[in-house]
Amino acid sequence: MVFRSVICLVLLLFLSIPFEVKAQGQEIVSGYQVIANDAGITQISLGELRNRFKGKYASWETDSEVLIVLPSSKNEHAEAISKLIYNKSFYGVKKFWLSLVFQGRFSPPHFLDSDEEIAKFVSDNEGAIGLISKGFEVSENLKIDLKD
């Protein structure tokens, strides 16, 4: 009887894990906004966003080069954004990018210290994409809606 109770408890625990992780992921996404300059899109799914940030596509629909902008280690959101997009630590993300760059598969991302610097870089550079805090004010033409 005790054995059945333990098995039921373990099974219940396994079934609840994916739902909890998804809820945490949605909570993290809700704290950030996607911004891009001349990307030719108005909305993007989390999967598409991850693919863009992982260098799966070198250009946008407008034929402009994808310029990845990430928070540097000095940015308070660096770890959270690294986990959200890459499911890695910040230093795991840097290692990921070193590998891509040395293989000649993609240009290196731009690591910037603040939301202000990220927003300015995206605004000034066609094809740039970044994540910044949801409360940070940027031009409406830079905002990309995150779809479900």
Side-chain angles (χ1 to χ4, degrees):
M1 186 71 163
V2 173
F3 182 70
R4 281 185 181 175
S5 297
V6 170
I7 289 178
C8 288
L9 184 61
V10 170
L11 184 59
L12 183 62
L13 183 64
F14 278 137
L15 291 175
S16 67
I17 289 174
F19 299 112
E20 185 177 328
V21 171
K22 185 174 181 184
Q24 288 174 346
Q26 289 170 345
E27 185 177 302
I28 289 172
V29 172
S30 69
Y32 300 102
Q33 59 184 331
V34 180
I35 57 171
N37 185 349
D38 195 34
I41 58 172
T42 57
Q43 57 179 279
I44 193 167
S45 71
L46 184 56
E48 293 171 65
L49 181 69
R50 285 179 174 147
N51 285 337
R52 293 284 179 186
F53 272 89
K54 289 179 180 179
K56 303 277 188 210
Y57 306 102
S59 63
W60 292 102
E61 287 75 359
T62 59
D63 290 329
S64 57
E65 179 186 2
V66 175
L67 300 174
I68 306 297
V69 185
L70 293 168
S72 74
S73 61
K74 295 178 184 175
N75 189 307
E76 64 182 303
H77 304 289
E79 280 298 325
I81 290 174
S82 296
K83 287 284 183 204
L84 171 68
I85 300 297
Y86 299 93
N87 199 26
K88 298 178 184 295
S89 70
F90 173 76
Y91 291 104
V93 170
K94 290 199 70 137
K95 188 175 175 182
F96 169 85
W97 276 105
L98 277 173
S99 172
L100 278 184
V101 170
F102 282 118
Q103 292 173 27
R105 293 174 41 200
F106 212 85
S107 299
H110 303 270
F111 290 95
L112 302 175
D113 294 341
S114 67
D115 284 349
E116 183 177 324
E117 289 179 24
I118 292 171
K120 180 164 178 23
F121 184 90
V122 170
S123 178
D124 293 346
N125 293 278
E126 185 177 305
I129 184 171
L131 281 171
I132 58 174
S133 301
K134 198 162 220 141
F136 192 84
E137 289 295 320
V138 292
S139 173
E140 286 297 319
N141 65 330
L142 294 178
K143 293 181 181 179
I144 306 294
D145 292 327
L146 196 60
K147 61 183 176 181
D148 294 330

